[in-house]
Amino acid sequence: MSNAPQQREFFLDSIRAWLMLLGIPFHISLIYSSHTWHVNSALPSWWLTLFNDFIHAFRMQVFFVISGYFSYMLFLRYPLKRWWKVRVERVGIPMLTAIPLLTLPQFLMLQYVNGKAANWHTLTTYEKYNTLVWELISHLWFLLVMVVLTTVCLFLFKKMNRYVTRHKENSHASLSLGRLSILFLACGILYGAIRRTIFIIHAPLLSDGLFNFVVMQTLFYLPFFLLGALAFTRPKLKALFTTPSPWCAAGAALAFAAYLLNQRYGNGDAWMYETESVITMLMGLWMVNVVFSLGHKLLNFHSPRVTYFVNASLFIYLVHHPLVLFFGAFITPHIASNTLGFIAGLIFVVGIAVVLYEIHLRIPLLRFLFSGKPQNAAKATKSAG
Protein backbone atom coordinates (compact mmCIF):
# COMPACT_ATOMS: atom_id res chain seq x y z
CA MET A 1 0.00 0.00 0.00
CA SER A 2 1.08 3.55 -0.64
CA ASN A 3 0.46 6.78 1.24
CA ALA A 4 1.65 8.95 -1.64
CA PRO A 5 -0.85 11.72 -2.34
CA GLN A 6 -2.73 11.52 -5.62
CA GLN A 7 -3.22 14.48 -7.91
CA ARG A 8 -6.67 15.97 -7.33
CA GLU A 9 -9.15 14.88 -9.97
CA PHE A 10 -11.25 18.03 -10.09
CA PHE A 11 -13.44 16.95 -13.00
CA LEU A 12 -14.24 13.56 -11.42
CA ASP A 13 -15.09 15.23 -8.11
CA SER A 14 -17.39 17.63 -9.94
CA ILE A 15 -19.06 14.96 -12.07
CA ARG A 16 -19.71 12.79 -9.01
CA ALA A 17 -21.27 15.75 -7.19
CA TRP A 18 -23.44 16.84 -10.10
CA LEU A 19 -24.60 13.28 -10.77
CA MET A 20 -25.71 13.07 -7.15
CA LEU A 21 -27.39 16.49 -7.27
CA LEU A 22 -29.08 15.45 -10.52
CA GLY A 23 -31.23 13.26 -8.28
CA ILE A 24 -33.16 16.41 -7.34
CA PRO A 25 -34.51 17.28 -10.82
CA PHE A 26 -34.87 13.53 -11.44
CA HIS A 27 -37.28 13.05 -8.55
CA ILE A 28 -39.11 16.34 -9.10
CA SER A 29 -39.63 15.49 -12.77
CA LEU A 30 -40.92 12.08 -11.64
CA ILE A 31 -43.88 13.90 -10.06
CA TYR A 32 -44.77 15.39 -13.44
CA SER A 33 -43.94 12.33 -15.57
CA SER A 34 -46.26 9.62 -16.83
CA HIS A 35 -44.61 7.16 -14.42
CA THR A 36 -46.67 6.20 -11.37
CA TRP A 37 -44.92 7.36 -8.19
CA HIS A 38 -45.81 8.14 -4.57
CA VAL A 39 -47.17 11.52 -5.69
CA ASN A 40 -48.10 12.64 -9.20
CA SER A 41 -49.47 15.75 -10.87
CA ALA A 42 -53.00 15.69 -12.30
CA LEU A 43 -51.71 15.55 -15.88
CA PRO A 44 -48.27 14.24 -16.96
CA SER A 45 -45.80 16.28 -18.99
CA TRP A 46 -44.23 14.64 -22.04
CA TRP A 47 -40.99 16.62 -21.87
CA LEU A 48 -40.51 16.00 -18.15
CA THR A 49 -41.18 12.30 -18.74
CA LEU A 50 -38.49 12.31 -21.44
CA PHE A 51 -36.13 14.25 -19.18
CA ASN A 52 -36.76 11.81 -16.33
CA ASP A 53 -36.15 8.76 -18.54
CA PHE A 54 -32.89 10.20 -19.86
CA ILE A 55 -31.46 10.78 -16.39
CA HIS A 56 -32.59 7.35 -15.20
CA ALA A 57 -31.01 5.57 -18.17
CA PHE A 58 -27.38 6.43 -17.36
CA ARG A 59 -26.84 8.44 -14.16
CA MET A 60 -26.04 5.71 -11.67
CA GLN A 61 -23.85 3.69 -14.05
CA VAL A 62 -21.51 6.66 -14.47
CA PHE A 63 -21.67 7.36 -10.73
CA PHE A 64 -20.49 3.84 -9.87
CA VAL A 65 -17.59 4.09 -12.32
CA ILE A 66 -16.37 7.17 -10.44
CA SER A 67 -16.99 5.45 -7.10
CA GLY A 68 -14.90 2.48 -8.21
CA TYR A 69 -12.14 4.82 -9.35
CA PHE A 70 -11.87 6.59 -5.99
CA SER A 71 -12.41 3.38 -4.01
CA TYR A 72 -9.41 1.75 -5.69
CA MET A 73 -7.35 4.89 -5.16
CA LEU A 74 -8.04 4.64 -1.42
CA PHE A 75 -7.45 0.88 -1.54
CA LEU A 76 -3.86 1.59 -2.59
CA ARG A 77 -3.48 4.21 0.13
CA TYR A 78 -4.68 2.28 3.20
CA PRO A 79 -4.06 -1.19 4.70
CA LEU A 80 -6.84 -3.58 3.71
CA LYS A 81 -8.83 -3.60 6.97
CA ARG A 82 -8.52 0.16 7.41
CA TRP A 83 -9.66 0.69 3.80
CA TRP A 84 -12.80 -1.36 4.40
CA LYS A 85 -13.49 0.45 7.69
CA VAL A 86 -13.04 3.92 6.18
CA ARG A 87 -15.19 3.16 3.13
CA VAL A 88 -17.99 1.48 5.08
CA GLU A 89 -18.09 4.25 7.68
CA ARG A 90 -18.31 6.98 5.05
CA VAL A 91 -21.33 5.44 3.34
CA GLY A 92 -22.82 3.28 6.11
CA ILE A 93 -23.07 5.90 8.86
CA PRO A 94 -24.93 8.46 6.67
CA MET A 95 -27.28 5.69 5.50
CA LEU A 96 -28.06 4.54 9.05
CA THR A 97 -28.48 8.17 10.12
CA ALA A 98 -30.89 9.00 7.30
CA ILE A 99 -33.25 6.08 8.04
CA PRO A 100 -34.61 7.35 11.39
CA LEU A 101 -34.15 11.06 10.62
CA LEU A 102 -35.38 11.16 7.00
CA THR A 103 -36.91 8.06 5.45
CA LEU A 104 -38.96 6.98 8.50
CA PRO A 105 -40.71 10.38 8.77
CA GLN A 106 -41.06 10.29 4.97
CA PHE A 107 -42.75 6.88 5.19
CA LEU A 108 -45.15 8.06 7.89
CA MET A 109 -46.02 11.15 5.84
CA LEU A 110 -46.76 9.03 2.76
CA GLN A 111 -48.96 6.70 4.80
CA TYR A 112 -51.06 9.74 5.67
CA VAL A 113 -50.99 11.28 2.18
CA ASN A 114 -51.88 8.06 0.34
CA GLY A 115 -54.39 6.92 2.95
CA LYS A 116 -52.62 3.60 3.53
CA ALA A 117 -52.28 3.91 7.30
CA ALA A 118 -55.73 2.42 7.84
CA ASN A 119 -54.77 -0.69 5.85
CA TRP A 120 -51.47 -1.35 7.66
CA HIS A 121 -53.02 -3.86 10.08
CA THR A 122 -54.30 -5.96 7.18
CA LEU A 123 -50.77 -6.71 5.91
CA THR A 124 -48.99 -9.93 6.79
CA THR A 125 -45.79 -9.82 8.84
CA TYR A 126 -43.67 -10.34 5.71
CA GLU A 127 -45.60 -7.67 3.78
CA LYS A 128 -44.96 -5.18 6.58
CA TYR A 129 -41.26 -6.10 6.67
CA ASN A 130 -40.88 -5.86 2.89
CA THR A 131 -42.75 -2.55 2.75
CA LEU A 132 -40.47 -1.12 5.43
CA VAL A 133 -37.36 -2.31 3.57
CA TRP A 134 -38.45 -0.63 0.34
CA GLU A 135 -39.62 2.56 2.02
CA LEU A 136 -36.90 3.04 4.65
CA ILE A 137 -33.99 2.29 2.33
CA SER A 138 -35.74 4.22 -0.45
CA HIS A 139 -33.32 6.62 -2.17
CA LEU A 140 -30.51 5.40 0.14
CA TRP A 141 -30.19 2.16 -1.85
CA PHE A 142 -26.94 3.17 -3.52
CA LEU A 143 -25.26 3.57 -0.12
CA LEU A 144 -26.25 0.01 0.79
CA VAL A 145 -24.93 -1.20 -2.56
CA MET A 146 -21.68 0.67 -1.90
CA VAL A 147 -21.28 -1.19 1.40
CA VAL A 148 -21.85 -4.52 -0.37
CA LEU A 149 -19.49 -3.64 -3.24
CA THR A 150 -16.80 -2.54 -0.79
CA THR A 151 -17.10 -5.84 1.06
CA VAL A 152 -17.03 -7.90 -2.15
CA CYS A 153 -14.03 -5.93 -3.40
CA LEU A 154 -11.99 -6.89 -0.34
CA PHE A 155 -11.36 -9.98 -2.45
CA LEU A 156 -11.67 -8.59 -5.98
CA PHE A 157 -9.37 -5.59 -5.45
CA LYS A 158 -6.70 -7.84 -3.94
CA LYS A 159 -6.87 -10.06 -7.04
CA MET A 160 -6.79 -7.01 -9.31
CA ASN A 161 -3.81 -5.51 -7.49
CA ARG A 162 -1.84 -8.74 -7.77
CA TYR A 163 -2.62 -8.97 -11.48
CA VAL A 164 -1.64 -5.34 -12.10
CA THR A 165 1.61 -5.80 -10.14
CA ARG A 166 2.56 -8.93 -12.08
CA HIS A 167 1.69 -7.49 -15.48
CA LYS A 168 3.10 -3.97 -15.29
CA GLU A 169 4.64 -4.43 -18.71
CA ASN A 170 1.14 -4.81 -20.16
CA SER A 171 -0.22 -1.66 -18.55
CA HIS A 172 -0.45 -0.08 -21.99
CA ALA A 173 -2.08 -3.08 -23.61
CA SER A 174 -4.46 -2.36 -26.42
CA LEU A 175 -7.86 -1.24 -25.17
CA SER A 176 -10.78 -0.07 -27.23
CA LEU A 177 -14.31 1.06 -26.63
CA GLY A 178 -15.41 -1.60 -29.09
CA ARG A 179 -13.99 -4.39 -26.95
CA LEU A 180 -15.46 -2.86 -23.82
CA SER A 181 -18.83 -2.63 -25.57
CA ILE A 182 -18.75 -6.35 -26.35
CA LEU A 183 -17.81 -7.11 -22.76
CA PHE A 184 -20.62 -4.96 -21.33
CA LEU A 185 -23.07 -6.42 -23.82
CA ALA A 186 -22.16 -9.83 -22.42
CA CYS A 187 -22.59 -8.51 -18.86
CA GLY A 188 -26.05 -7.19 -19.73
CA ILE A 189 -27.07 -10.50 -21.27
CA LEU A 190 -25.72 -12.42 -18.27
CA TYR A 191 -27.57 -10.16 -15.84
CA GLY A 192 -30.76 -10.57 -17.87
CA ALA A 193 -30.33 -14.34 -17.87
CA ILE A 194 -29.91 -14.38 -14.08
CA ARG A 195 -33.00 -12.25 -13.63
CA ARG A 196 -35.07 -14.40 -16.02
CA THR A 197 -33.93 -17.56 -14.23
CA ILE A 198 -35.06 -16.16 -10.88
CA PHE A 199 -38.34 -15.05 -12.47
CA ILE A 200 -38.99 -18.60 -13.71
CA ILE A 201 -37.95 -20.35 -10.48
CA HIS A 202 -39.44 -17.99 -7.88
CA ALA A 203 -40.75 -14.67 -9.23
CA PRO A 204 -41.75 -13.16 -5.81
CA LEU A 205 -38.05 -13.05 -4.87
CA LEU A 206 -37.60 -10.19 -7.33
CA SER A 207 -40.13 -8.15 -5.33
CA ASP A 208 -38.19 -8.62 -2.11
CA GLY A 209 -36.61 -5.26 -1.24
CA LEU A 210 -33.52 -6.54 0.53
CA PHE A 211 -32.79 -9.12 -2.19
CA ASN A 212 -33.25 -6.45 -4.87
CA PHE A 213 -30.82 -4.02 -3.25
CA VAL A 214 -28.17 -6.42 -1.94
CA VAL A 215 -28.10 -8.92 -4.81
CA MET A 216 -29.66 -7.59 -8.02
CA GLN A 217 -28.48 -3.97 -7.82
CA THR A 218 -25.01 -5.08 -6.73
CA LEU A 219 -24.75 -7.52 -9.65
CA PHE A 220 -25.79 -4.85 -12.14
CA TYR A 221 -23.42 -2.14 -10.94
CA LEU A 222 -20.42 -4.37 -10.17
CA PRO A 223 -19.02 -4.16 -13.77
CA PHE A 224 -19.14 -0.35 -13.61
CA PHE A 225 -17.48 -0.29 -10.19
CA LEU A 226 -14.67 -2.55 -11.42
CA LEU A 227 -14.33 -0.51 -14.62
CA GLY A 228 -13.69 2.59 -12.51
CA ALA A 229 -11.05 0.73 -10.49
CA LEU A 230 -9.42 -0.50 -13.70
CA ALA A 231 -9.40 3.05 -15.10
CA PHE A 232 -7.33 4.12 -12.09
CA THR A 233 -4.72 1.44 -12.81
CA ARG A 234 -4.70 1.98 -16.58
CA PRO A 235 -4.02 5.59 -17.66
CA LYS A 236 -4.73 4.60 -21.25
CA LEU A 237 -8.22 3.44 -20.31
CA LYS A 238 -8.87 6.68 -18.44
CA ALA A 239 -7.66 8.64 -21.48
CA LEU A 240 -10.04 6.58 -23.61
CA PHE A 241 -12.96 7.90 -21.56
CA THR A 242 -11.77 11.51 -21.36
CA THR A 243 -11.29 11.71 -25.15
CA PRO A 244 -14.56 12.52 -26.96
CA SER A 245 -15.86 9.69 -29.14
CA PRO A 246 -18.55 10.43 -31.76
CA TRP A 247 -19.31 6.70 -31.81
CA CYS A 248 -20.08 6.69 -28.09
CA ALA A 249 -22.31 9.74 -28.43
CA ALA A 250 -24.18 8.16 -31.35
CA GLY A 251 -24.39 4.81 -29.56
CA ALA A 252 -25.77 6.45 -26.41
CA ALA A 253 -28.42 8.28 -28.48
CA LEU A 254 -29.48 5.02 -30.16
CA ALA A 255 -29.48 3.20 -26.83
CA PHE A 256 -31.72 5.87 -25.33
CA ALA A 257 -34.12 5.55 -28.25
CA ALA A 258 -34.17 1.78 -27.68
CA TYR A 259 -34.75 2.40 -23.96
CA LEU A 260 -37.79 4.57 -24.71
CA LEU A 261 -39.21 2.03 -27.16
CA ASN A 262 -38.77 -0.73 -24.60
CA GLN A 263 -40.51 1.40 -21.96
CA ARG A 264 -43.37 2.11 -24.36
CA TYR A 265 -43.93 -1.30 -25.90
CA GLY A 266 -42.25 -3.71 -23.47
CA ASN A 267 -44.16 -6.07 -21.22
CA GLY A 268 -43.02 -6.72 -17.66
CA ASP A 269 -44.04 -10.37 -17.81
CA ALA A 270 -42.09 -10.86 -21.04
CA TRP A 271 -38.51 -9.65 -21.56
CA MET A 272 -38.90 -5.94 -20.83
CA TYR A 273 -36.58 -5.84 -17.79
CA GLU A 274 -34.02 -8.18 -19.32
CA THR A 275 -33.93 -6.06 -22.48
CA GLU A 276 -33.59 -2.94 -20.35
CA SER A 277 -30.56 -4.43 -18.56
CA VAL A 278 -28.76 -4.92 -21.88
CA ILE A 279 -29.68 -1.43 -23.12
CA THR A 280 -28.73 0.41 -19.93
CA MET A 281 -25.52 -1.60 -19.52
CA LEU A 282 -24.33 -0.42 -22.94
CA MET A 283 -25.74 3.10 -22.59
CA GLY A 284 -24.02 3.42 -19.22
CA LEU A 285 -20.66 2.49 -20.74
CA TRP A 286 -21.01 4.89 -23.65
CA MET A 287 -22.24 7.70 -21.41
CA VAL A 288 -19.08 7.31 -19.31
CA ASN A 289 -17.19 8.56 -22.35
CA VAL A 290 -19.70 11.35 -23.04
CA VAL A 291 -19.79 12.56 -19.42
CA PHE A 292 -16.06 12.14 -18.70
CA SER A 293 -14.97 13.90 -21.90
CA LEU A 294 -17.34 16.82 -21.31
CA GLY A 295 -16.39 16.98 -17.65
CA HIS A 296 -12.68 16.87 -18.42
CA LYS A 297 -13.11 19.76 -20.84
CA LEU A 298 -15.48 21.92 -18.79
CA LEU A 299 -14.99 21.01 -15.11
CA ASN A 300 -11.30 20.20 -14.66
CA PHE A 301 -10.45 23.19 -12.48
CA HIS A 302 -10.55 24.27 -8.86
CA SER A 303 -13.36 26.57 -7.83
CA PRO A 304 -14.53 27.40 -4.27
CA ARG A 305 -18.14 27.38 -5.49
CA VAL A 306 -17.80 23.95 -7.11
CA THR A 307 -15.92 22.65 -4.05
CA TYR A 308 -18.82 23.81 -1.87
CA PHE A 309 -21.32 21.70 -3.82
CA VAL A 310 -18.89 18.78 -4.01
CA ASN A 311 -18.76 18.78 -0.21
CA ALA A 312 -22.50 19.40 0.14
CA SER A 313 -23.72 16.95 -2.50
CA LEU A 314 -24.19 13.89 -0.27
CA PHE A 315 -26.07 15.80 2.44
CA ILE A 316 -28.26 17.59 -0.10
CA TYR A 317 -29.02 14.31 -1.83
CA LEU A 318 -29.97 12.64 1.45
CA VAL A 319 -32.40 15.37 2.55
CA HIS A 320 -33.88 16.19 -0.86
CA HIS A 321 -36.16 13.15 -1.16
CA PRO A 322 -38.58 13.89 1.70
CA LEU A 323 -38.59 17.54 0.60
CA VAL A 324 -39.57 16.50 -2.94
CA LEU A 325 -42.36 14.28 -1.64
CA PHE A 326 -43.61 17.05 0.66
CA PHE A 327 -43.63 19.44 -2.30
CA GLY A 328 -45.42 16.91 -4.49
CA ALA A 329 -48.05 16.09 -1.88
CA PHE A 330 -48.91 19.56 -0.58
CA ILE A 331 -47.74 22.16 -3.11
CA THR A 332 -47.97 20.54 -6.57
CA PRO A 333 -51.81 20.38 -6.51
CA HIS A 334 -51.92 24.18 -6.23
CA ILE A 335 -49.71 24.84 -9.31
CA ALA A 336 -51.52 24.40 -12.61
CA SER A 337 -48.49 24.47 -14.90
CA ASN A 338 -46.20 21.42 -14.85
CA THR A 339 -43.21 23.44 -16.05
CA LEU A 340 -43.80 26.14 -13.44
CA GLY A 341 -44.26 23.45 -10.81
CA PHE A 342 -40.99 21.78 -11.79
CA ILE A 343 -39.07 25.08 -11.53
CA ALA A 344 -40.78 25.95 -8.24
CA GLY A 345 -39.92 22.49 -6.93
CA LEU A 346 -36.24 22.97 -7.75
CA ILE A 347 -36.16 26.32 -5.94
CA PHE A 348 -38.07 24.93 -2.95
CA VAL A 349 -36.02 21.76 -2.51
CA VAL A 350 -32.55 23.16 -3.26
CA GLY A 351 -33.16 26.26 -1.15
CA ILE A 352 -34.26 24.36 1.95
CA ALA A 353 -31.57 21.67 1.44
CA VAL A 354 -28.80 24.28 1.35
CA VAL A 355 -30.16 25.95 4.50
CA LEU A 356 -30.26 22.56 6.26
CA TYR A 357 -26.71 21.87 5.07
CA GLU A 358 -25.47 25.13 6.59
CA ILE A 359 -27.25 24.35 9.87
CA HIS A 360 -25.78 20.85 10.06
CA LEU A 361 -22.26 22.23 9.49
CA ARG A 362 -22.57 24.07 12.80
CA ILE A 363 -23.50 20.93 14.76
CA PRO A 364 -20.50 18.55 15.11
CA LEU A 365 -22.62 15.46 15.80
CA LEU A 366 -24.70 15.99 12.66
CA ARG A 367 -21.57 16.66 10.61
CA PHE A 368 -20.23 13.29 11.69
CA LEU A 369 -23.51 11.42 11.21
CA PHE A 370 -24.09 12.76 7.69
CA SER A 371 -20.49 12.38 6.48
CA GLY A 372 -19.15 9.34 8.30
CA LYS A 373 -15.91 11.24 8.90
CA PRO A 374 -14.46 11.87 12.38
CA GLN A 375 -14.51 15.63 12.90
CA ASN A 376 -10.99 15.80 14.31
CA ALA A 377 -9.71 14.25 11.06
CA ALA A 378 -11.81 16.65 9.02
CA LYS A 379 -10.36 19.64 10.90
CA ALA A 380 -6.82 18.33 10.46
CA THR A 381 -7.39 17.92 6.73
CA LYS A 382 -8.81 21.45 6.50
CA SER A 383 -5.87 22.90 8.41
CA ALA A 384 -3.39 21.04 6.22
CA GLY A 385 -5.14 22.38 3.14
Side-chain angles (χ1 to χ4, degrees):
M1 303 302 168
S2 171
N3 291 318
Q6 301 291 333
Q7 183 178 358
R8 190 74 174 180
E9 301 281 7
F10 292 114
F11 79 101
L12 289 180
D13 273 337
S14 296
I15 292 172
R16 179 173 57 177
W18 292 121
L19 286 173
M20 193 171 291
L21 294 174
L22 202 57
I24 300 175
F26 168 75
H27 285 117
I28 296 176
S29 64
L30 197 52
I31 297 173
Y32 300 100
S33 74
S34 58
H35 303 299
T36 302
W37 200 40
H38 299 292
V39 288
N40 288 105
S41 60
L43 294 173
S45 164
W46 70 267
W47 81 267
L48 286 171
T49 301
L50 188 67
F51 175 74
N52 183 268
D53 285 334
F54 178 68
I55 296 175
H56 186 259
F58 79 91
R59 181 173 69 101
M60 295 311 298
Q61 296 94 304
V62 180
F63 176 85
F64 274 101
V65 171
I66 299 175
S67 296
Y69 183 95
F70 285 120
S71 291
Y72 195 79
M73 180 182 72
L74 293 175
F75 173 81
L76 297 179
R77 182 179 300 176
Y78 295 122
L80 188 62
K81 291 182 179 179
R82 175 161 172 74
W83 170 76
W84 182 86
K85 181 177 181 292
V86 167
R87 295 302 297 158
V88 169
E89 284 178 349
R90 290 186 183 178
V91 296
I93 292 176
M95 180 185 71
L96 294 175
T97 298
I99 289 175
L101 295 184
L102 298 174
T103 57
L104 179 57
Q106 169 187 291
F107 169 69
L108 296 175
M109 179 188 72
L110 289 175
Q111 290 286 295
Y112 168 77
V113 170
N114 296 329
K116 294 181 179 179
N119 300 325
W120 179 256
H121 70 280
T122 65
L123 301 179
T124 66
T125 301
Y126 172 74
E127 287 173 337
K128 290 178 180 178
Y129 150 79
N130 197 36
T131 299
L132 287 174
V133 170
W134 280 107
E135 297 295 338
L136 297 188
I137 294 178
S138 185
H139 68 298
L140 312 175
W141 67 267
F142 78 99
L143 295 174
L144 178 58
V145 172
M146 283 292 298
V147 171
V148 178
L149 285 173
T150 300
T151 303
V152 169
C153 286
L154 280 170
F155 170 75
L156 295 180
F157 279 6
K158 280 201 304 183
K159 300 288 284 187
M160 181 183 292
N161 193 46
R162 288 172 186 168
Y163 179 84
V164 170
T165 302
R166 292 174 182 174
H167 298 83
K168 286 184 177 180
E169 66 279 3
N170 295 325
S171 61
H172 298 288
S174 177
L175 292 167
S176 70
L177 290 168
R179 292 181 180 181
L180 286 172
S181 298
I182 294 173
L183 176 61
F184 272 72
L185 172 63
C187 289
I189 293 173
L190 177 60
Y191 178 87
I194 293 172
R195 190 191 185 282
R196 176 53 52 166
T197 301
I198 296 172
F199 181 80
I200 294 171
I201 295 174
H202 187 57
L205 188 59
L206 294 173
S207 299
D208 184 274
L210 195 60
F211 180 81
N212 179 273
F213 295 132
V214 173
V215 178
M216 300 306 293
Q217 297 284 54
T218 299
L219 284 176
F220 183 83
Y221 290 107
L222 179 60
F224 294 98
F225 196 75
L226 294 178
L227 179 65
L230 190 61
F232 184 82
T233 68
R234 295 283 192 261
K236 188 172 182 180
L237 177 59
K238 180 181 173 183
L240 202 63
F241 288 129
T242 55
T243 303
S245 168
W247 293 108
C248 282
L254 290 174
F256 181 56
Y259 176 86
L260 293 176
L261 290 172
N262 188 53
Q263 289 282 314
R264 176 67 176 83
Y265 299 106
N267 186 313
D269 292 331
W271 294 86
M272 175 181 174
Y273 296 110
E274 290 78 7
T275 303
E276 181 179 300
S277 69
V278 175
I279 294 171
T280 52
M281 190 73 73
L282 284 171
M283 184 174 177
L285 172 67
W286 294 330
M287 284 300 292
V288 172
N289 174 268
V290 174
V291 174
F292 275 33
S293 58
L294 284 174
H296 190 262
K297 181 179 180 180
L298 302 175
L299 302 173
N300 199 24
F301 60 89
H302 172 67
S303 164
R305 186 175 301 174
V306 172
T307 300
Y308 176 86
F309 281 102
V310 167
N311 294 331
S313 60
L314 176 59
F315 179 89
I316 291 176
Y317 179 84
L318 292 177
V319 302
H320 91 277
H321 202 260
L323 293 174
V324 170
L325 290 172
F326 179 89
F327 178 86
F330 299 107
I331 301 178
T332 292
H334 303 288
I335 303 177
S337 168
N338 286 339
T339 300
L340 179 60
F342 175 73
I343 296 172
L346 286 176
I347 297 172
F348 176 86
V349 173
V350 173
I352 295 179
V354 170
V355 170
L356 292 175
Y357 174 70
E358 287 295 330
I359 292 173
H360 114 285
L361 286 179
R362 290 156 176 79
I363 305 174
L365 178 60
L366 288 181
R367 288 207 311 269
F368 167 70
L369 291 176
F370 280 100
S371 69
K373 299 178 183 178
Q375 293 309 302
N376 56 349
K379 290 179 180 178
T381 302
K382 185 176 180 180
S383 299

